[in-house]
Amino acid sequence: MTNASPASARLIATVDALRTALAESPDVLSFTLGGTIDEETAAAAEADGVPREFLDFCRVLDGASCGPSVQLFGLEEAEEHQFYCEPVVDSPLPLSPEKLYCVGMIQEAPVYLDRAGGGVLGAPEAGPDWVDAERFDELAPGLETFFLEWLATPAGYQRLALVDDELVEYDDWLKLLRRAGLTG
């Protein structure tokens, strides 16, 4: 971790706990934790217009695929998904590559980083019909908060992933969160 990244100690500790639990969990295979990006990669991406907040997050965790319906992109994958920022005919959503940066998918709906305010926006409840949503909801005030409150907590993840109560014990991401001691 370099001093250039303003990631919190909580984010770093959470990602470290997840990586340790993953290394000790050969039975948990249905998702991946990305690595990290280096300063040179971050600087080049920032020069290409990638938001600094996203790059700061990728310096700690370059993406996480939490299961089949919840994914936070790493830098390379995010760059491939920016077409979700383009305006869609007849969609009431304020889509714009100048205002939004796609950082993931939940229930087949894109999740965005607001370039101006840094909030994480989306309409995950709309699923694959997200373009017909009336508006985006603010899911969190920032990417780090989104990860820590929604993806790194069983209750948050269970809500986003729509994990049925009867399937909780079988969900690999929830197993990993428990094994990492992330139960709150």
Side-chain angles (χ1 to χ4, degrees):
M1 195 82 247
T2 66
N3 291 335
S5 177
S8 75
R10 181 175 169 218
L11 176 63
I12 294 165
T14 299
V15 170
D16 286 348
L18 286 167
R19 286 192 172 121
T20 299
L22 181 60
E24 297 168 354
S25 301
D27 61 316
V28 177
L29 301 172
S30 69
F31 65 92
T32 58
L33 288 174
T36 60
I37 62 170
D38 59 35
E39 294 302 319
E40 184 177 328
T41 301
E46 188 171 5
D48 286 340
V50 177
R52 182 179 301 226
E53 182 177 356
F54 180 69
L55 295 170
D56 289 343
F57 186 85
C58 289
R59 286 181 177 104
V60 178
L61 180 60
D62 190 26
S65 182
C66 306
S69 61
V70 179
Q71 183 176 12
L72 188 60
F73 297 144
L75 177 60
E76 188 174 317
E77 194 165 14
E79 290 173 340
E80 296 170 5
H81 285 82
Q82 294 314 301
F83 63 90
Y84 282 111
C85 299
E86 296 293 332
V88 175
V89 175
D90 296 329
S91 175
L93 296 172
L95 296 166
S96 164
E98 293 79 28
K99 295 179 180 178
L100 301 171
Y101 190 80
C102 185
V103 296
M105 299 290 287
I106 299 171
Q107 304 300 334
E108 299 182 55
V111 175
Y112 299 97
L113 183 64
D114 177 356
R115 288 179 178 270
V120 176
L121 310 173
E125 70 287 342
D129 297 323
W130 65 273
V131 295
D132 297 325
E134 293 297 317
R135 62 180 169 75
F136 288 127
D137 293 322
E138 184 173 293
L139 304 174
L143 194 53
E144 182 174 321
T145 301
F146 176 74
F147 180 79
L148 291 171
E149 293 181 4
W150 285 100
L151 302 183
T153 63
Y157 168 75
Q158 192 173 343
R159 275 186 53 205
L160 283 180
L162 303 177
V163 178
D164 187 286
D165 286 342
E166 292 153 16
L167 299 176
V168 166
E169 67 183 279
Y170 303 106
D171 186 281
D172 279 350
W173 184 255
L174 288 171
K175 284 182 196 175
L176 185 67
L177 292 175
R178 286 190 297 271
R179 291 174 186 176
L182 302 171
T183 58

